[in-house]
Amino acid sequence: VDDALVQLENLEFRQFLDESFLAMIARSPQTIISLGIEEEVDLNTMSLDDISDAYQRDTQALERGILDLLRTYDRESLPADEQRFYDVYEWYLDDIVRGHAFYLYDFPVSFFITSVNFNTENFFTEIHPLETLEDAQDYLTRLTFVESTFQQAMENVALRADAGIIPAQSVIQWTINALSRITNVSATQTPYYIAFDEKINDIPNIDDALSGAMRDDIAGIIESTVQPAYRALIDFMTTLQNNAPQQT
């Protein structure tokens, strides 16, 4: 983070806007992929987002540092259009930084659309590109990271539980029910497989033999890593439910 901030010092204002924003985006491979800017950001995107507590706190430090650097520019000396850019960017960054105080006040694993489990599934079924053979191969590779993502999600839930932030029993039960959609069916009936299966036939230069082999590969990954990750998450949330309040 310190190195990233040093590289942002003493830049021309518009260059600072561009490069500082890219520095924040570069913390999230999934955002880079969703924006289709892999070639513009110096980051290995063959993974999912690092959602560990340490990494997220480093990201917060970067965000605070960028806001501090923004405020070193003399707003009044900027042209009118750049003053508007300054104001919008300052509001955006200040809003993020003020939110750091409430960092633990959420439920990383839930049935909400902001949850890690929802975002992970949505990334693969709605966002991940599947237009080329390389896309399909990348899909399979990134799918193997679901297990580590869910492990980090459990660690994040535990941190919040230690701080007394635990979802209500009913919320946890709805979450378990949502997670069970993945574990109570065969690999080929999961959204991860179905999304891949529906799109692979439209990818050029993939014949029946190769597409069949890749379907077998994804089914194997789902059975060996994805579904066990969901089961582990269900077990974790079931244990948490024993200590959860009846209502929040």
Side-chain angles (χ1 to χ4, degrees), residues 181-183 185-195 222 227:
R181 293 171 40 250
I182 306 299
T183 61
V185 297
S186 68
T188 58
Q189 293 175 304
T190 62
Y192 295 96
Y193 182 94
I194 292 172
I222 293 169
Q227 287 179 312

Side-chain angles (χ1 to χ4, degrees), residues 2-232:
D2 290 341
D3 290 343
L5 290 172
V6 168
Q7 292 176 12
L8 294 173
E9 293 178 352
N10 302 316
L11 297 178
E12 184 272 334
F13 181 67
R14 292 209 181 198
Q15 185 181 9
F16 169 77
L17 295 181
D18 292 340
E19 295 194 14
S20 62
F21 190 66
L22 280 176
M24 289 189 291
I25 290 177
R27 304 287 293 177
S28 169
Q30 289 173 230
T31 299
I32 294 169
I33 294 163
S34 68
L35 295 175
I37 58 172
E38 292 96 323
E39 295 181 358
E40 298 178 36
V41 180
D42 183 19
L43 180 72
N44 177 13
T45 60
M46 288 311 301
S47 65
L48 300 181
D49 287 357
D50 185 340
I51 59 170
S52 66
D53 180 65
Y55 191 84
Q56 291 187 77
R57 291 188 184 278
D58 279 349
T59 299
Q60 291 176 355
L62 177 67
E63 292 163 347
R64 290 192 298 271
I66 290 174
L67 177 59
D68 290 341
L69 284 174
L70 173 66
R71 287 172 172 165
T72 64
Y73 289 87
D74 181 6
R75 179 190 179 279
E76 300 308 316
S77 68
L78 297 172
D81 59 340
E82 292 188 356
Q83 288 184 7
R84 288 193 293 271
F85 295 154
Y86 182 104
D87 292 342
V88 171
Y89 201 32
E90 184 184 39
W91 176 87
Y92 169 75
L93 290 169
D94 185 63
D95 185 62
I96 291 174
V97 170
R98 286 187 291 109
H100 292 170
F102 308 98
Y103 165 58
L104 295 178
Y105 287 72
D106 66 353
F107 301 146
V109 178
S110 71
F111 63 93
F112 306 138
I113 62 173
T114 55
S115 65
V116 172
N117 45 292
F118 179 90
N119 284 333
T120 299
E121 179 181 331
N122 188 65
F123 172 73
F124 282 100
T125 60
E126 301 294 336
I127 296 173
H128 196 293
L130 276 171
E131 299 176 354
T132 67
L133 174 58
E134 184 179 5
D135 289 341
Q137 293 168 333
D138 291 347
Y139 188 103
L140 299 181
T141 299
R142 292 188 178 111
L143 199 59
T144 63
F145 287 92
V146 171
E147 186 174 24
S148 60
T149 294
F150 280 16
Q151 179 60 46
Q152 290 179 336
M154 288 186 280
E155 293 167 1
N156 289 338
V157 173
L159 282 173
R160 285 154 178 78
D162 289 343
I165 300 168
I166 304 175
Q169 291 180 4
S170 58
V171 172
I172 295 177
Q173 188 56 56
W174 293 332
T175 301
I176 291 171
N177 294 343
L179 296 170
S180 297
R181 293 171 40 250
I182 306 299
T183 61
N184 290 344
V185 297
S186 68
T188 58
Q189 293 175 304
T190 62
Y192 295 96
Y193 182 94
I194 292 172
F196 187 87
D197 180 59
E198 290 178 345
K199 297 173 184 177
I200 192 172
N201 285 335
D202 295 329
I203 299 176
N205 303 320
I206 297 183
D207 58 25
D208 290 345
L210 181 55
S211 65
M214 298 189 81
R215 285 183 172 92
D216 289 343
D217 287 343
I218 190 173
I221 292 170
I222 293 169
E223 289 176 354
S224 64
T225 64
V226 176
Q227 287 179 312
Y230 272 83
R231 293 188 187 100

